[in-house]
Amino acid sequence: MTNDLRLNLPPYDVRLGGTKERPTIFDMLRRRYVALTPEEWVRQHFVHFLVDVKGYPATLLANEVRLQVGDKQLRADTVLYDNRLRPRMVIEYKASHIALTQRVMEQISAYNRLLDVDYLVVSNGIQHFYCQRRQGGDGYAFIDDIPAYSELEAGTEPIET
């Protein structure tokens, strides 16, 4: 099923569990097995990409971050925090067969109204869109790639427009 799906992300040593009827995948951030859905397959690969390739500390990443807007509960897929536990990046995942549309960008923008991060990322495992805050905080611009964590820690400046 899902574990045969090829993504545009580096492979990693996937840990599967559960049963044939209810498969699970190990989430290193939550330190437990979670239901294996097409979106979760993308999330786990992207998180491993951030940690293994981009050098992001797993201790500063969190999955399924609860957000509150009035009486409405939202859930950001993954959030990267800085060393002072301020949000720096929010990531929204979709299953690989889901198109990354304007509606997905609006969804992540809603999360960002609460988090006010420097980077927005959306991925369906095949396509990835990265946005960085513009200099002066006036919106976001698309960028080709997200920086390695060492660049973020060095204080990557907002991009000029």
Side-chain angles (χ1 to χ4, degrees):
M1 173 193 147
T2 307
N3 59 335
D4 292 331
L5 183 64
R6 302 274 183 238
L7 302 176
N8 185 17
L9 291 163
Y12 76 97
D13 192 15
V14 177
R15 292 169 50 190
L16 298 175
T19 64
K20 186 175 183 180
E21 296 79 28
R22 294 188 182 210
T24 59
I25 187 168
F26 188 76
D27 181 331
M28 69 185 233
L29 300 184
R30 291 179 271 186
R31 297 185 185 113
R32 63 181 171 89
Y33 283 88
V34 297
L36 177 56
T37 64
E39 182 178 309
E40 195 63 47
W41 182 250
V42 172
R43 180 199 327 261
Q44 294 309 315
H45 277 78
F46 204 93
V47 166
H48 278 269
F49 163 70
L50 291 174
V51 173
D52 300 341
V53 176
K54 293 292 188 175
Y56 287 55
T59 55
L60 296 179
L61 289 162
N63 283 337
E64 296 288 321
V65 175
R66 293 176 198 220
L67 305 171
Q68 181 94 24
V69 179
D71 59 352
K72 187 175 182 180
Q73 292 273 338
L74 301 175
R75 199 170 289 194
D77 287 338
T78 301
V79 176
L80 168 72
Y81 296 91
D82 66 14
N83 288 325
R84 291 186 234 161
L85 300 181
R86 293 178 303 198
R88 292 287 311 273
M89 179 184 296
V90 62
I91 307 163
E92 176 64 23
Y93 308 105
K94 297 296 179 193
S96 61
H97 66 277
I98 303 293
L100 300 180
T101 63
Q102 180 65 32
R103 188 172 188 175
V104 176
M105 294 306 291
E106 291 166 3
Q107 180 181 2
I108 199 169
S109 294
Y111 300 153
N112 194 42
R113 283 192 276 287
L114 298 168
L115 296 171
D116 192 31
V117 298
D118 297 321
Y119 294 90
L120 304 175
V121 176
V122 295
S123 175
N124 64 6
I126 307 297
Q127 287 186 295
H128 323 288
F129 292 113
Y130 310 111
C131 297
Q132 183 180 7
R133 184 188 310 269
R134 289 187 174 126
Q135 202 167 26
D138 184 27
Y140 290 80
F142 285 95
I143 56 176
D144 292 334
D145 197 5
I146 51 176
Y149 184 74
S150 59
E151 296 172 46
L152 267 182
E153 265 304 284
T156 304
E157 293 297 316
I159 60 174
E160 293 185 35
T161 54

